[in-house]
């Protein structure tokens, strides 16, 4: 079995090679993104393993099919970058890693909240310069405040439990079944409008679907509590990036933590420090003192990386055995 892994970095090579000692598949690590131009590199590979910012649209899938690919083994939970209908039409199975470490993402979201609230990047930069003053570093107690969790699946539930541990009132919005563990901790399921208008901190943990695209737009930002904090570790497309700038300028949005960004493809996971940043919206966001941007690193813990490699190769193995698991279906859920 030959598999090519696009957008590979040294950490992918290390974790996949270690997991592959069990399977001994022929793995080829490719640094390039997968797109219509690079799909040719997958010629002769049974399986293709893309990452989150690779393009797996109909054109790419057709080229992969022509090259003999029969399996897309995503090394991510999210699958919004795959044209599932085209894959089905072309007879290419798509599998993913539905759960690795929900703790990794939830804990990173909490990290963003603490770093923003207590101005940690600014405080650290100051003490390094010998400036030990506190002006401008005033935070607030999370205890007693309200956090709104949008999407209480695996990650949102872990996040809600941690925030309940801080003594926060948890409000939740999810069109699916309420999570028992959150209810047991006193969480209240409310409408999206209520969540937005009553939360001091809003955190996004729902998938990117047509229904959730730009869920946070001008209107949603206007309906939030003045000065509230917004955290997005879900997907960039959940938030209309342009709308954030206006809300930050007026102070309607008090703090913003982004681990994902709508136009992150081609930027995140790469070192662009020697070039002028071409994305004016991101450049503006990075200039606000009350904004923290991390480059899609919420998943990036040792435990999660090992789990991703193990599950991906396990998915390939199950597919080879004729009993595929973790298949992504065409219905959007
Ligand atoms: P999950 O499938 O367990 O949970 C998603 C939840 O969102 C479900 O309970 C679902 O009912 C809910 N949902 C669906 N439509 C919704 C809507 N319109 N409004 C509110 N909730 C809605 O997924 P999981 O594992 O918790 O991951 C959530 C998302 O986090 C993923 O879809 C992915 O995009 C993102 N993610 C980000 C990572 C990062 O490194 N930044 C890493 C892993 C996942």
């Amino acid at each position: 079995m030959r598999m090519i892994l696009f957008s590979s970095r040294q950490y992918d090579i290390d974790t996949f090679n270690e997991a592959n000692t069990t399977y001994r598949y022929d793995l080829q690590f490719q640094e390039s993104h997968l797109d219509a131009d690079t799909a040719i590199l997958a010629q002769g590979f049974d399986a293709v393993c893309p990452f989150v910012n690779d393009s797996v649209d109909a054109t790419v899938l057709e080229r992969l099919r022509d090259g003999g690919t029969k399996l897309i083994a995503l090394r991510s939970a999210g699958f919004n970058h795959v044209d599932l209908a085209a894959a089905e039409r072309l007879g290419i199975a798509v599998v993913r890693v539905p759960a690795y470490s929900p703790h990794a993402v939830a804990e990173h979201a909490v990290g963003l909240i603490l770093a923003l609230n207590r101005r940690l990047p600014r405080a650290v930069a100051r003490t390094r310069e010998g400036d030990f003053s506190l002006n401008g570093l005033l935070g607030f107690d999370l205890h007693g405040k309200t956090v709104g969790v949008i999407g209480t699946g695996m990650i949102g539930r872990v996040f809600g439990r941690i925030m309940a541990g801080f003594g926060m009132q948890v409000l939740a919005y999810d069109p699916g079944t309420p999570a028992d563990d959150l209810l047991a901790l006193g969480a209240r399921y409310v409408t999206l409008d209520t969540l937005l208008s009553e939360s001091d901190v809003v955190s996004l943990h729902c998938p990117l679907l047509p229904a959730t695209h730009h869920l946070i737009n001008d209107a949603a930002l206007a309906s939030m509590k003045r000065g509230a904090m917004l955290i997005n570790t879900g997907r960039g497309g959940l938030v209309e990036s342009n709308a954030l700038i206006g809300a930050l300028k007026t102070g309607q949005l008090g703090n913003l933590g982004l681990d994902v960004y709508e136009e992150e493809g081609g930027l995140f996971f790469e070192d662009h420090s020697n070039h002028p940043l071409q994305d004016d919206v991101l450049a503006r966001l990075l200039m606000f003192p009350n904004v923290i941007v991390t480059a899609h690193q919420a998943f990036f813990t040792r435990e999660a990386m090992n789990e991703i490699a193990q599950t991906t190769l396990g998915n390939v193995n199950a597919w080879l055995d004729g009993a595929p698991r973790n298949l992504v279906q065409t219905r959007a859920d």
Side-chain angles (χ1 to χ4, degrees), residues 256-308:
L256 172 68
L258 297 181
D259 184 55
V260 286
Y261 173 63
E262 223 177 343
E263 303 297 332
E264 69 179 52
L267 267 181
F268 284 14
F269 309 119
E270 286 161 29
D271 180 2
H272 289 265
S273 59
N274 287 319
H275 309 285
L277 185 53
Q278 299 299 316
D279 186 317
D280 292 349
V281 175
L282 182 59
R284 182 68 184 99
L285 287 174
L286 288 168
M287 293 320 291
F288 288 100
N290 49 349
V291 173
I292 290 180
V293 177
T294 53
H296 209 137
Q297 73 173 79
F299 73 99
F300 197 48
T301 65
R302 204 175 300 122
E303 290 77 4
M305 289 298 286
N306 290 339
E307 193 62 38
I308 288 169

Short mmCIF file of all heavy atoms in Angstrom, two decimals, residues 256-308:
data_model
loop_
_atom_site.label_atom_id
_atom_site.label_comp_id
_atom_site.label_asym_id
_atom_site.label_seq_id
_atom_site.Cartn_x
_atom_site.Cartn_y
_atom_site.Cartn_z
N LEU A 256 -10.42 39.30 21.13
CA LEU A 256 -10.61 38.31 20.07
C LEU A 256 -9.44 37.33 20.05
O LEU A 256 -8.27 37.75 19.98
CB LEU A 256 -10.69 39.03 18.71
CG LEU A 256 -10.70 38.15 17.47
CD1 LEU A 256 -12.00 37.33 17.39
CD2 LEU A 256 -10.54 39.01 16.21
N GLY A 257 -9.74 36.05 20.12
CA GLY A 257 -8.72 35.01 20.01
C GLY A 257 -9.04 34.11 18.82
O GLY A 257 -10.09 33.47 18.78
N LEU A 258 -8.15 34.08 17.85
CA LEU A 258 -8.37 33.26 16.65
C LEU A 258 -7.28 32.21 16.53
O LEU A 258 -6.09 32.54 16.56
CB LEU A 258 -8.32 34.12 15.39
CG LEU A 258 -9.36 35.22 15.20
CD1 LEU A 258 -9.11 35.93 13.86
CD2 LEU A 258 -10.77 34.66 15.24
N ASP A 259 -7.68 30.97 16.37
CA ASP A 259 -6.71 29.94 15.99
C ASP A 259 -6.90 29.55 14.53
O ASP A 259 -6.09 28.82 13.96
CB ASP A 259 -6.88 28.70 16.89
CG ASP A 259 -5.82 27.64 16.59
OD1 ASP A 259 -4.62 27.98 16.64
OD2 ASP A 259 -6.19 26.49 16.27
N VAL A 260 -8.00 30.02 13.97
CA VAL A 260 -8.32 29.71 12.57
C VAL A 260 -8.76 31.01 11.91
O VAL A 260 -9.25 31.92 12.58
CB VAL A 260 -9.45 28.66 12.49
CG1 VAL A 260 -8.95 27.27 12.85
CG2 VAL A 260 -10.63 29.03 13.38
N TYR A 261 -8.55 31.09 10.61
CA TYR A 261 -8.83 32.33 9.89
C TYR A 261 -9.32 31.94 8.50
O TYR A 261 -8.79 31.02 7.88
CB TYR A 261 -7.53 33.17 9.84
CG TYR A 261 -7.63 34.39 8.99
CD1 TYR A 261 -8.53 35.40 9.30
CD2 TYR A 261 -6.83 34.54 7.85
CE1 TYR A 261 -8.63 36.53 8.52
CE2 TYR A 261 -6.92 35.67 7.06
CZ TYR A 261 -7.82 36.67 7.40
OH TYR A 261 -7.92 37.78 6.62
N GLU A 262 -10.33 32.68 8.07
CA GLU A 262 -11.00 32.37 6.81
C GLU A 262 -10.02 32.16 5.65
O GLU A 262 -10.17 31.25 4.85
CB GLU A 262 -11.92 33.55 6.48
CG GLU A 262 -13.26 33.14 5.98
CD GLU A 262 -14.16 34.34 5.75
OE1 GLU A 262 -13.89 35.45 6.25
OE2 GLU A 262 -15.16 34.14 5.04
N GLU A 263 -9.02 33.02 5.57
CA GLU A 263 -8.09 32.96 4.44
C GLU A 263 -6.75 32.39 4.87
O GLU A 263 -5.70 32.80 4.38
CB GLU A 263 -7.89 34.37 3.86
CG GLU A 263 -9.18 35.07 3.41
CD GLU A 263 -9.86 34.35 2.27
OE1 GLU A 263 -9.15 33.68 1.49
OE2 GLU A 263 -11.09 34.43 2.17
N GLU A 264 -6.78 31.42 5.80
CA GLU A 264 -5.51 30.92 6.35
C GLU A 264 -4.73 30.05 5.36
O GLU A 264 -3.51 29.90 5.49
CB GLU A 264 -5.75 30.13 7.64
CG GLU A 264 -6.48 28.80 7.43
CD GLU A 264 -6.68 28.03 8.74
OE1 GLU A 264 -7.21 28.62 9.69
OE2 GLU A 264 -6.31 26.85 8.78
N GLY A 265 -5.42 29.49 4.36
CA GLY A 265 -4.77 28.64 3.37
C GLY A 265 -3.62 29.38 2.70
O GLY A 265 -3.78 30.52 2.28
N GLY A 266 -2.46 28.74 2.61
CA GLY A 266 -1.30 29.38 1.98
C GLY A 266 -0.52 30.26 2.95
O GLY A 266 0.56 30.75 2.61
N LEU A 267 -1.06 30.50 4.14
CA LEU A 267 -0.37 31.33 5.15
C LEU A 267 0.00 30.49 6.37
O LEU A 267 1.17 30.38 6.72
CB LEU A 267 -1.31 32.44 5.62
CG LEU A 267 -1.30 33.79 4.95
CD1 LEU A 267 -2.30 34.71 5.63
CD2 LEU A 267 0.09 34.42 5.01
N PHE A 268 -1.02 29.90 7.00
CA PHE A 268 -0.79 29.16 8.23
C PHE A 268 0.03 27.90 7.94
O PHE A 268 -0.02 27.36 6.85
CB PHE A 268 -2.11 28.78 8.90
CG PHE A 268 -2.78 29.95 9.61
CD1 PHE A 268 -2.38 31.25 9.39
CD2 PHE A 268 -3.82 29.74 10.51
CE1 PHE A 268 -2.98 32.32 10.03
CE2 PHE A 268 -4.43 30.80 11.16
CZ PHE A 268 -4.02 32.09 10.92
N PHE A 269 0.77 27.50 8.91
CA PHE A 269 1.69 26.34 8.87
C PHE A 269 2.98 26.65 8.10
O PHE A 269 3.78 25.78 7.86
CB PHE A 269 1.04 25.07 8.26
CG PHE A 269 -0.29 24.71 8.86
CD1 PHE A 269 -1.44 24.67 8.09
CD2 PHE A 269 -0.38 24.40 10.20
CE1 PHE A 269 -2.66 24.34 8.65
CE2 PHE A 269 -1.60 24.07 10.78
CZ PHE A 269 -2.75 24.04 10.00
N GLU A 270 3.14 27.92 7.68
CA GLU A 270 4.35 28.28 6.92
C GLU A 270 5.01 29.53 7.50
O GLU A 270 4.34 30.34 8.13
CB GLU A 270 3.99 28.56 5.46
CG GLU A 270 3.69 27.28 4.69
CD GLU A 270 2.90 27.53 3.43
OE1 GLU A 270 3.04 28.62 2.85
OE2 GLU A 270 2.14 26.62 3.04
N ASP A 271 6.30 29.68 7.26
CA ASP A 271 7.03 30.86 7.73
C ASP A 271 7.02 31.93 6.65
O ASP A 271 7.66 31.78 5.60
CB ASP A 271 8.48 30.46 8.07
CG ASP A 271 9.28 31.65 8.57
OD1 ASP A 271 8.72 32.75 8.70
OD2 ASP A 271 10.48 31.46 8.85
N HIS A 272 6.26 33.00 6.91
CA HIS A 272 6.20 34.12 5.95
C HIS A 272 6.90 35.35 6.51
O HIS A 272 6.65 36.47 6.06
CB HIS A 272 4.74 34.47 5.65
CG HIS A 272 4.03 33.44 4.82
ND1 HIS A 272 3.93 33.52 3.46
CD2 HIS A 272 3.41 32.29 5.16
CE1 HIS A 272 3.27 32.46 3.00
NE2 HIS A 272 2.95 31.71 4.02
N SER A 273 7.73 35.15 7.52
CA SER A 273 8.27 36.30 8.25
C SER A 273 9.21 37.16 7.41
O SER A 273 9.50 38.29 7.78
CB SER A 273 8.96 35.84 9.54
OG SER A 273 10.00 34.94 9.26
N ASN A 274 9.70 36.65 6.29
CA ASN A 274 10.60 37.45 5.46
C ASN A 274 9.90 38.20 4.33
O ASN A 274 10.54 38.80 3.48
CB ASN A 274 11.69 36.54 4.85
CG ASN A 274 12.68 36.13 5.90
OD1 ASN A 274 13.06 36.95 6.74
ND2 ASN A 274 13.06 34.87 5.90
N HIS A 275 8.55 38.11 4.33
CA HIS A 275 7.81 38.75 3.23
C HIS A 275 6.73 39.66 3.80
O HIS A 275 6.20 39.38 4.88
CB HIS A 275 7.13 37.68 2.36
CG HIS A 275 8.07 36.61 1.92
ND1 HIS A 275 9.01 36.81 0.94
CD2 HIS A 275 8.24 35.35 2.37
CE1 HIS A 275 9.71 35.70 0.80
NE2 HIS A 275 9.27 34.80 1.65
N PRO A 276 6.38 40.74 3.07
CA PRO A 276 5.27 41.57 3.54
C PRO A 276 3.97 40.76 3.52
O PRO A 276 3.72 40.02 2.55
CB PRO A 276 5.20 42.71 2.52
CG PRO A 276 6.17 42.40 1.44
CD PRO A 276 6.96 41.19 1.80
N LEU A 277 3.20 40.89 4.59
CA LEU A 277 1.93 40.16 4.67
C LEU A 277 0.96 40.73 3.65
O LEU A 277 0.71 41.94 3.63
CB LEU A 277 1.39 40.30 6.11
CG LEU A 277 0.14 39.54 6.48
CD1 LEU A 277 0.27 38.05 6.18
CD2 LEU A 277 -0.16 39.74 7.97
N GLN A 278 0.44 39.89 2.79
CA GLN A 278 -0.42 40.37 1.70
C GLN A 278 -1.88 40.50 2.12
O GLN A 278 -2.67 41.14 1.44
CB GLN A 278 -0.32 39.42 0.50
CG GLN A 278 1.07 39.31 -0.09
CD GLN A 278 1.58 40.64 -0.62
OE1 GLN A 278 0.86 41.38 -1.28
NE2 GLN A 278 2.83 40.96 -0.31
N ASP A 279 -2.25 39.86 3.21
CA ASP A 279 -3.66 39.84 3.63
C ASP A 279 -3.93 41.05 4.53
O ASP A 279 -3.54 41.07 5.70
CB ASP A 279 -3.94 38.53 4.37
CG ASP A 279 -5.40 38.36 4.71
OD1 ASP A 279 -6.02 39.34 5.16
OD2 ASP A 279 -5.93 37.25 4.54
N ASP A 280 -4.61 42.07 3.99
CA ASP A 280 -4.80 43.32 4.74
C ASP A 280 -5.71 43.14 5.96
O ASP A 280 -5.54 43.84 6.96
CB ASP A 280 -5.40 44.40 3.81
CG ASP A 280 -4.39 44.83 2.75
OD1 ASP A 280 -3.20 44.45 2.88
OD2 ASP A 280 -4.79 45.54 1.81
N VAL A 281 -6.66 42.25 5.85
CA VAL A 281 -7.58 42.04 6.98
C VAL A 281 -6.82 41.41 8.15
O VAL A 281 -6.89 41.87 9.29
CB VAL A 281 -8.78 41.15 6.56
CG1 VAL A 281 -9.66 40.83 7.76
CG2 VAL A 281 -9.59 41.85 5.48
N LEU A 282 -6.04 40.39 7.85
CA LEU A 282 -5.25 39.73 8.90
C LEU A 282 -4.23 40.71 9.47
O LEU A 282 -4.03 40.79 10.69
CB LEU A 282 -4.56 38.48 8.36
CG LEU A 282 -3.74 37.69 9.37
CD1 LEU A 282 -4.60 37.21 10.54
CD2 LEU A 282 -3.06 36.48 8.71
N ALA A 283 -3.60 41.49 8.58
CA ALA A 283 -2.61 42.47 9.04
C ALA A 283 -3.24 43.46 10.02
O ALA A 283 -2.67 43.79 11.05
CB ALA A 283 -2.01 43.22 7.84
N ARG A 284 -4.46 43.90 9.71
CA ARG A 284 -5.16 44.84 10.60
C ARG A 284 -5.50 44.16 11.93
O ARG A 284 -5.31 44.75 13.00
CB ARG A 284 -6.45 45.35 9.92
CG ARG A 284 -7.22 46.37 10.74
CD ARG A 284 -6.45 47.67 10.85
NE ARG A 284 -7.11 48.67 11.70
CZ ARG A 284 -6.78 48.89 12.98
NH1 ARG A 284 -5.85 48.17 13.57
NH2 ARG A 284 -7.39 49.82 13.69
N LEU A 285 -6.00 42.94 11.85
CA LEU A 285 -6.36 42.21 13.08
C LEU A 285 -5.15 42.05 13.99
O LEU A 285 -5.24 42.18 15.21
CB LEU A 285 -6.95 40.84 12.74
CG LEU A 285 -8.37 40.84 12.15
CD1 LEU A 285 -8.77 39.44 11.71
CD2 LEU A 285 -9.38 41.40 13.16
N LEU A 286 -4.00 41.78 13.39
CA LEU A 286 -2.78 41.54 14.19
C LEU A 286 -2.31 42.81 14.90
O LEU A 286 -1.52 42.72 15.84
CB LEU A 286 -1.66 40.99 13.29
CG LEU A 286 -1.87 39.54 12.83
CD1 LEU A 286 -0.89 39.18 11.72
CD2 LEU A 286 -1.72 38.57 13.99
N MET A 287 -2.77 43.98 14.45
CA MET A 287 -2.34 45.24 15.06
C MET A 287 -3.11 45.60 16.32
O MET A 287 -2.70 46.47 17.08
CB MET A 287 -2.45 46.40 14.05
CG MET A 287 -1.50 46.32 12.87
SD MET A 287 0.14 45.74 13.31
CE MET A 287 0.71 47.12 14.27
N PHE A 288 -4.26 44.98 16.54
CA PHE A 288 -5.04 45.30 17.76
C PHE A 288 -4.35 44.69 18.98
O PHE A 288 -3.97 43.51 18.96
CB PHE A 288 -6.46 44.72 17.66
CG PHE A 288 -7.36 45.42 16.70
CD1 PHE A 288 -7.58 44.91 15.43
CD2 PHE A 288 -8.01 46.60 17.06
CE1 PHE A 288 -8.43 45.55 14.53
CE2 PHE A 288 -8.86 47.24 16.17
CZ PHE A 288 -9.06 46.72 14.91
N PRO A 289 -4.22 45.47 20.06
CA PRO A 289 -3.58 44.91 21.25
C PRO A 289 -4.45 43.85 21.94
O PRO A 289 -3.93 43.06 22.73
CB PRO A 289 -3.41 46.14 22.17
CG PRO A 289 -4.43 47.13 21.70
CD PRO A 289 -4.63 46.89 20.23
N ASN A 290 -5.75 43.86 21.64
CA ASN A 290 -6.66 42.92 22.30
C ASN A 290 -7.05 41.75 21.37
O ASN A 290 -8.14 41.19 21.48
CB ASN A 290 -7.92 43.66 22.79
CG ASN A 290 -8.53 44.54 21.72
OD1 ASN A 290 -7.91 44.78 20.68
ND2 ASN A 290 -9.73 45.03 21.96
N VAL A 291 -6.15 41.44 20.45
CA VAL A 291 -6.37 40.30 19.54
C VAL A 291 -5.16 39.37 19.62
O VAL A 291 -4.01 39.84 19.60
CB VAL A 291 -6.55 40.78 18.08
CG1 VAL A 291 -6.59 39.58 17.11
CG2 VAL A 291 -7.82 41.62 17.94
N ILE A 292 -5.42 38.09 19.72
CA ILE A 292 -4.34 37.10 19.64
C ILE A 292 -4.68 36.14 18.50
O ILE A 292 -5.80 35.63 18.42
CB ILE A 292 -4.19 36.30 20.95
CG1 ILE A 292 -3.65 37.20 22.06
CG2 ILE A 292 -3.25 35.11 20.76
CD1 ILE A 292 -3.47 36.49 23.38
N VAL A 293 -3.72 35.93 17.64
CA VAL A 293 -3.90 34.97 16.54
C VAL A 293 -2.86 33.87 16.69
O VAL A 293 -1.66 34.17 16.82
CB VAL A 293 -3.74 35.65 15.16
CG1 VAL A 293 -3.86 34.62 14.03
CG2 VAL A 293 -4.77 36.76 14.98
N THR A 294 -3.30 32.63 16.72
CA THR A 294 -2.38 31.51 16.62
C THR A 294 -2.69 30.80 15.31
O THR A 294 -3.80 30.90 14.79
CB THR A 294 -2.50 30.54 17.82
OG1 THR A 294 -3.88 30.14 17.96
CG2 THR A 294 -2.03 31.19 19.10
N ALA A 295 -1.68 30.14 14.75
CA ALA A 295 -1.80 29.63 13.38
C ALA A 295 -2.28 28.17 13.33
O ALA A 295 -1.53 27.27 12.98
CB ALA A 295 -0.46 29.79 12.66
N HIS A 296 -3.55 27.98 13.69
CA HIS A 296 -4.18 26.65 13.64
C HIS A 296 -3.35 25.62 14.41
O HIS A 296 -2.99 24.58 13.87
CB HIS A 296 -4.38 26.21 12.19
CG HIS A 296 -5.56 25.29 12.02
ND1 HIS A 296 -6.46 25.40 11.00
CD2 HIS A 296 -5.99 24.24 12.74
CE1 HIS A 296 -7.37 24.45 11.10
NE2 HIS A 296 -7.11 23.73 12.16
N GLN A 297 -3.05 25.95 15.65
CA GLN A 297 -2.20 25.06 16.44
C GLN A 297 -2.96 24.38 17.58
O GLN A 297 -2.35 23.66 18.37
CB GLN A 297 -1.01 25.84 17.02
CG GLN A 297 -1.36 26.79 18.16
CD GLN A 297 -0.13 27.40 18.82
OE1 GLN A 297 0.46 28.34 18.30
NE2 GLN A 297 0.27 26.86 19.96
N ALA A 298 -4.29 24.61 17.63
CA ALA A 298 -5.04 24.08 18.78
C ALA A 298 -4.90 22.56 18.89
O ALA A 298 -4.85 22.01 19.98
CB ALA A 298 -6.51 24.48 18.68
N PHE A 299 -4.81 21.89 17.77
CA PHE A 299 -4.74 20.41 17.78
C PHE A 299 -3.35 19.91 18.16
O PHE A 299 -3.15 18.72 18.39
CB PHE A 299 -5.08 19.85 16.37
CG PHE A 299 -3.95 20.10 15.39
CD1 PHE A 299 -3.05 19.08 15.08
CD2 PHE A 299 -3.78 21.33 14.80
CE1 PHE A 299 -1.99 19.31 14.20
CE2 PHE A 299 -2.73 21.57 13.92
CZ PHE A 299 -1.83 20.57 13.62
N PHE A 300 -2.36 20.83 18.19
CA PHE A 300 -0.96 20.44 18.11
C PHE A 300 -0.37 20.08 19.47
O PHE A 300 0.42 20.81 20.04
CB PHE A 300 -0.19 21.58 17.45
CG PHE A 300 1.16 21.22 16.92
CD1 PHE A 300 1.34 20.11 16.12
CD2 PHE A 300 2.27 22.01 17.20
CE1 PHE A 300 2.59 19.78 15.62
CE2 PHE A 300 3.52 21.70 16.71
CZ PHE A 300 3.68 20.57 15.91
N THR A 301 -0.78 18.91 19.98
CA THR A 301 -0.13 18.36 21.18
C THR A 301 0.44 16.99 20.80
O THR A 301 0.01 16.37 19.82
CB THR A 301 -1.10 18.17 22.36
OG1 THR A 301 -2.07 17.18 22.02
CG2 THR A 301 -1.79 19.47 22.74
N ARG A 302 1.39 16.55 21.60
CA ARG A 302 2.03 15.25 21.34
C ARG A 302 0.97 14.14 21.27
O ARG A 302 0.98 13.31 20.38
CB ARG A 302 3.01 14.98 22.49
CG ARG A 302 4.12 14.05 22.16
CD ARG A 302 5.10 13.97 23.32
NE ARG A 302 5.69 15.25 23.65
CZ ARG A 302 5.62 15.85 24.86
NH1 ARG A 302 4.98 15.28 25.85
NH2 ARG A 302 6.19 17.01 25.07
N GLU A 303 0.03 14.20 22.24
CA GLU A 303 -0.98 13.16 22.32
C GLU A 303 -1.86 13.17 21.06
O GLU A 303 -2.16 12.12 20.49
CB GLU A 303 -1.86 13.36 23.56
CG GLU A 303 -1.17 13.10 24.89
CD GLU A 303 -0.23 14.25 25.33
OE1 GLU A 303 -0.17 15.29 24.63
OE2 GLU A 303 0.44 14.08 26.35
N ALA A 304 -2.28 14.36 20.65
CA ALA A 304 -3.16 14.46 19.49
C ALA A 304 -2.44 14.01 18.22
O ALA A 304 -3.01 13.28 17.39
CB ALA A 304 -3.66 15.90 19.33
N MET A 305 -1.18 14.40 18.06
CA MET A 305 -0.43 14.02 16.86
C MET A 305 -0.28 12.50 16.77
O MET A 305 -0.45 11.91 15.70
CB MET A 305 0.96 14.67 16.86
CG MET A 305 0.93 16.17 16.61
SD MET A 305 0.24 16.61 15.01
CE MET A 305 1.57 16.15 13.91
N ASN A 306 0.04 11.86 17.91
CA ASN A 306 0.18 10.41 17.90
C ASN A 306 -1.14 9.75 17.54
O ASN A 306 -1.20 8.80 16.76
CB ASN A 306 0.66 9.91 19.26
CG ASN A 306 2.11 10.30 19.51
OD1 ASN A 306 2.85 10.59 18.56
ND2 ASN A 306 2.51 10.34 20.76
N GLU A 307 -2.22 10.25 18.11
CA GLU A 307 -3.55 9.69 17.88
C GLU A 307 -3.95 9.86 16.41
O GLU A 307 -4.53 8.96 15.80
CB GLU A 307 -4.53 10.42 18.81
CG GLU A 307 -5.89 9.80 18.95
CD GLU A 307 -5.89 8.42 19.54
OE1 GLU A 307 -5.08 8.16 20.45
OE2 GLU A 307 -6.69 7.59 19.06
N ILE A 308 -3.63 11.02 15.85
CA ILE A 308 -3.96 11.29 14.44
C ILE A 308 -3.24 10.28 13.54
O ILE A 308 -3.85 9.68 12.63
CB ILE A 308 -3.58 12.74 14.04
CG1 ILE A 308 -4.53 13.73 14.68
CG2 ILE A 308 -3.55 12.91 12.53
CD1 ILE A 308 -4.10 15.20 14.58
#
